[in-house]
Amino acid sequence: MKHFIFILFLNVFLMLPAQELPPIEKFTASDYGGDNQNWMISQSADNYIYAANNKGLLEYNGSSWVAYPSPNNTILRAVKVIGDRIYSGCYEDFGYWVKDEKGLLNYTSLIPKLKEANISDDQIWNILDLGEWVLFQSGHALHFFNKEAETFKIITSQQIIYKVFNINNHIYYHVANEGIYLIKDGQPKLIISDAVVLEDRVINMFFVDDLLTILTRNSGFFQVKNNQLEPWEITANERLKRLNIFNSIKLEDNSFVIGTISNGIVKISNAGEFEYVINQKLGLSNNTVLALFEDANHNVWAGLDNGINCINITSPIQTFIDYEGVLGTVYSTIIYKDLLYVGTNQGLFYRSLKSTDETFRFVKGTAGQVWSLYNHNNESLICGHHLGTFSVDGNQIEKISSDLGAWNFKKIPNHDNLLLQGNYDGLYVLELKNKTWTVRNKIENFKNSSRFFEINNANQIMVNHEYKGVFVLNMNSDFTQTIDVVDVSELTIGNSSSLESYQGDILYTSKNGIFNYNEAEHKFVKNSVLTDLIASKNFTSGKMVVDQTGKLWLFFKNNISYITNDNLTNKPQITDIAIPSTLRKGVLGFENIQHIEGEKYILGTVNGYLTLDLANIEADTSHSIHFNTIMKKNIDGSSIHLSLTESGSFEHEKGIVSFGFSVPEYNKFLDVSYSYKIEGLSDKWSDWSHSSSVQFENISFGDYTLEVKGKVGNQLTENTIVYHFEVNRPWYISNLAILVYVLILIGIAFLVNKVYKFYYERILKHEHIKSERALIQIKNEKLNQDIEGKNRELVISTMSIIKKNELLNKIKKELKKNRNNKDIESAVNLIDTNLNNNKDWKFFKEAFNNADKDFMDKIKAAHPDLTPNDLKFCAYLRLNLSSKEMAPLLNISIKSVETKRYRLRKRLQLNHDDSLVNYILKF
């Protein structure tokens, strides 16, 4: 029993579902900021997506989600974009949302316009566009709203209305226990009441080949023929009967997508053939599908019981993702005898190439790392494995070699039965004998790991070792040993470099370009033509692959590219396929691509593979970029939304201004990036970035223009969005502030002028005073000189009088000696008369007054009782004459002079210690 269970488990493990499915972009509740359940999806003219969510209305612009709460905090179950309005319905309310100039949605309820009618205790489940009318379906009524007149027409039902349908502008609706009605001439008419529609629920209705076709929840498809319902005879119907269908849509290509309660999504062709299932095991976020919608680019949006998924139904890329981890990372794929073989890090798997839903089967004995697969002339398949080399036939293997690490295989020129094998420890030669491959020999004298190698017709083997460089091995004729090994010095050692034969040349590719081996010069030279083709690419890997159609594939950061020759010019040309490395998820340096058929290729990834149909890749598609929000974040943490259409005006250094923009593109494998520039700040475009927002702070004042462009894959958006704004001058250099500064400067200039004027007036006045003083000084000096001259004259006059009187006194003394002589007596009398002559005094007095004008008046004013003799004596004292000098002038003795001094002191009332002369000099 245990052995049986083990065998059963092993068989299940060895079988892996192999459906190749469209890419799926997943959004969780945390991504869109709402609840898990999503009931209806619609799209606007600018390709924005809107979803009715348990918590309200969701808006997706291709980059970010915005959630708007339900108008009355109930579950929003219906949404439909009609023109510039987004109509929605919930419990006991319905209306529309309109986007304002700030890019925000504002809600208007239509319930007040119902007037006496109401939808008490009922939900809005569906909304249809009927041109002039909008139809809101509740559980028991159809509310027709006229957009122009803003009036309602209502059709009610006692039974539950399951669903309403617009088929070629005719309104059908299914009523429980009654059947299907058609509204004709404004009135409902029951047209189908078969048991099918009474016992089952109609999910959708279509016209197929001019026949009214209905899809039921549990009974499959039916068509109306001769007013009777008959099962639609298609192969998918039996499988549909086993499903619990919740909704469906008919795509533009007339195929069907069906959403189920617990089995995910079913895709059926327009001929009614079952194509594939997408469920939770195969990548869908949830198995319960509540809503389906086909957008303008033919993507199918699924509103799920837990999340929202976007399925790229028409994508040229299909995915096989190993969600269970059985397959592993794909390192090699190959087509052999109508089987697709996949070599991974977990072994070798295969399935039929023709059957897309057949499971992968494990080839027993190959567990472990598969490095390569080689198809030899469609006669044998060889597997290069970590554990050695194997020959593969169907699900059977036969070991060729136990030498570890078989990297790759190449044909040896002119030896159809020989293969060169690169291994961890060098090179081996395999030989085909009697339809069996064996190891003939190991090549002597070379032991380097040989993952990349090529052979030319000159018996030379080029080996590229990523860490040691490129070597040229000159071989002997039977490839048993090397004659010599030449280290290629002209090539730099580089990671992610490789060798490949292409159109008769051996190419070496690294981050420095593409080189080809020149046999005449025995060296590698840069191939300028091919190098120029890849010069603008972002190099990540030098791995090259040449497929069966002759295309040379290369792998870059943002693209996978292939080189072919132009049919007219025969010149190499490159074609880029915009699948960035972050999305294709290959192993760096181990990228692999395999031609399947026609233009279809398979590309290995870390968790499965991608299939790529080159015929369905659209070369030129148009995309538009839009502003979503312009927001100002203030310093206090608050934020305000600004108009998207009007120019902005911002205060200097008063917060952060952020701009949100997006390209509404929903293809999972199309990478969207953005670039911007601000005229007035820089004329240079920014580097391409995935960030769909940009913010600025601390921009200096001035006028600016923000320009943003987008790039989807390699295609630029058809428009560039522009926003003009200005940053106002800070308050301290505003116009008012400048006016104040000018007034202040004028005031300062005025004050400075006043100060300088006052200062210079003072200087001038000071100089004037100084000049006047100098003039006065000069006058005083002149006056003093005059006084000194007068004084000298006075002194000279006084001294003359003194000399004269001294002489007269001497003569008098001599004459007195002979008094008896009468003549002598008269002479003595004459002398006395002369000595007492007042003319001398008058002359002296006049001279004294000229020299010292005010003295006499001052001393007489101070001492009015002074006699003339006292005044004369004071004048002599002012001249600082001694008693001896004054005696002759007074014609008295020296003793009498002293007596006069004493008497004058008393009249002047001087103290004993006071100097008489000093007192006189004070006047």
Side-chain angles (χ1 to χ4, degrees), residues 158-175:
Q158 293 296 322
Q159 299 293 328
I160 295 175
I161 300 175
Y162 284 140
K163 201 164 186 179
V164 61
F165 314 97
N166 181 1
I167 312 298
N168 295 343
N169 293 321
H170 289 85
I171 303 303
Y172 299 82
Y173 62 98
H174 182 208
V175 178

Side-chain angles (χ1 to χ4, degrees), residues 200-229:
D200 206 346
R201 179 174 293 191
V202 175
I203 299 302
N204 212 337
M205 300 178 66
F206 326 91
F207 268 102
V208 177
D209 297 330
D210 296 327
L211 292 176
L212 184 61
T213 305
I214 68 172
L215 174 65
T216 62
R217 172 169 284 189
N218 302 113
S219 307
F221 281 104
F222 290 84
Q223 289 185 322
V224 179
K225 295 181 179 179
N226 300 320
N227 296 321
Q228 297 293 323
L229 279 182

Side-chain angles (χ1 to χ4, degrees), residues 788-800:
E788 287 178 0
K790 297 292 183 178
N791 286 337
R792 281 194 297 272
E793 291 178 2
L794 182 59
V795 171
I796 292 170
S797 173
T798 303
M799 294 306 297
S800 298

Side-chain angles (χ1 to χ4, degrees), residues 427-473:
L427 295 164
Y428 292 78
V429 176
L430 303 183
E431 184 177 23
L432 179 63
K433 284 184 177 181
N434 300 321
K435 299 182 178 181
T436 302
W437 288 99
T438 59
V439 178
R440 196 194 71 174
N441 64 275
K442 184 180 187 300
I443 293 178
E444 301 292 335
N445 305 325
F446 189 77
K447 296 182 179 181
N448 287 342
S449 178
S450 304
R451 180 179 163 211
F452 298 108
F453 60 92
E454 295 294 335
I455 317 168
N456 62 14
N457 291 321
N459 280 14
Q460 291 180 312
I461 303 174
M462 287 74 178
V463 180
N464 174 46
H465 192 290
E466 292 177 278
Y467 304 118
K468 294 183 178 181
V470 177
F471 302 91
V472 177
L473 282 61

